[in-house]
Amino acid sequence: PGSSFSLLVLLTCAVCDAKMPPSPSIRPGSTSAVKLFEGEVCPLVWGGFLDRYENAVRAVGVAKKKLKELCAWDEWWRNQLPLIIAERKHLTKDDLVQVVQWKLTRGKFRPLMNQVKQNAEADVVRATTSAIQLAEESPQRALEALCVLRGIGPATASAVLAACRPAQFPFMADEALEGAGLEC
């Protein structure tokens, strides 16, 4: 499955795992992510997760008391942002702020927004133009091009690049990293 599909499944896993007893060392979604990475879930089950994705987004939105915002940002990230990138070949500062709002609302909160808003419009356009151009030839350089911006690390850069080239760039969700045995 493509990386955007993996993102959808991992968010759905987070909601499924939320029904399990909490563990002090693993966040919701990680238990199911481990099963996916270890091959314990057959490909047909992935489709079932995808079918429940919008319900999972709503559940996260309700839990974080940002239902309307998260649903709107998620729809924008999945459906509109790829078209914006294809047409403009860059993001504006407002686009980048919206990506960060989506990312922070659907996942683990980190105090990044003030830093992101400090970026100059010209710097955002320059960095995102470069990253989008580099995406096909050098994933590492594409990530590096975005990480020069304040408040943008590899995870947020992966959110931009996954919208740009979903088959090439997975979104670096904490649950996916923990499922692969990495610490966040």
Side-chain angles (χ1 to χ4, degrees):
S3 61
S4 292
F5 181 72
S6 299
L7 163 68
L8 305 179
V9 171
L10 290 170
L11 180 59
T12 305
C13 289
V15 172
C16 293
D17 283 354
K19 297 174 184 168
M20 300 172 74
S23 167
S25 64
I26 205 161
R27 85 179 96 250
S30 299
T31 302
S32 292
V34 168
K35 289 178 184 176
L36 290 171
F37 281 108
E38 291 176 349
E40 293 179 27
V41 177
C42 74
L44 293 175
V45 174
W46 284 70
F49 283 127
L50 182 58
D51 291 342
R52 298 191 316 238
Y53 176 73
E54 289 185 16
N55 289 334
V57 170
R58 282 193 286 280
V60 171
V62 167
K64 294 195 174 191
K65 297 178 176 35
K66 292 207 174 242
L67 174 62
K68 183 177 176 183
E69 295 92 337
L70 181 57
C71 288
W73 292 328
D74 189 74
E75 190 282 329
W76 175 84
W77 184 83
R78 290 186 297 125
N79 298 312
Q80 296 172 29
L81 183 58
L83 299 174
I84 289 169
I85 292 170
E87 181 180 317
R88 278 200 240 127
K89 310 291 188 223
H90 71 268
L91 271 65
T92 64
K93 182 177 172 178
D94 287 343
D95 295 332
L96 186 62
V97 165
Q98 192 161 334
V99 169
V100 173
Q101 289 171 321
W102 167 80
K103 179 186 172 285
L104 295 178
T105 303
R106 66 160 301 282
K108 182 177 179 181
F109 177 79
R110 291 178 172 85
L112 302 173
M113 191 56 76
N114 287 338
Q115 293 177 42
V116 173
K117 288 181 178 179
Q118 290 175 9
N119 288 301
E121 179 76 27
D123 293 339
V124 172
V125 170
R126 186 173 25 261
T128 59
T129 299
S130 177
I132 291 164
Q133 289 173 348
L134 290 167
E136 189 171 335
E137 64 189 59
S138 175
Q140 179 67 35
R141 289 180 55 212
L143 280 169
E144 290 169 355
L146 289 168
C147 290
V148 301
L149 296 169
R150 287 184 196 99
I152 305 299
T156 305
S158 76
V160 171
L161 294 168
C164 171
R165 300 183 65 83
Q168 184 179 359
F169 290 94
F171 169 61
M172 195 171 91
D174 292 330
E175 296 84 5
L177 294 175
E178 289 175 354
L182 305 171
E183 292 188 29
C184 302

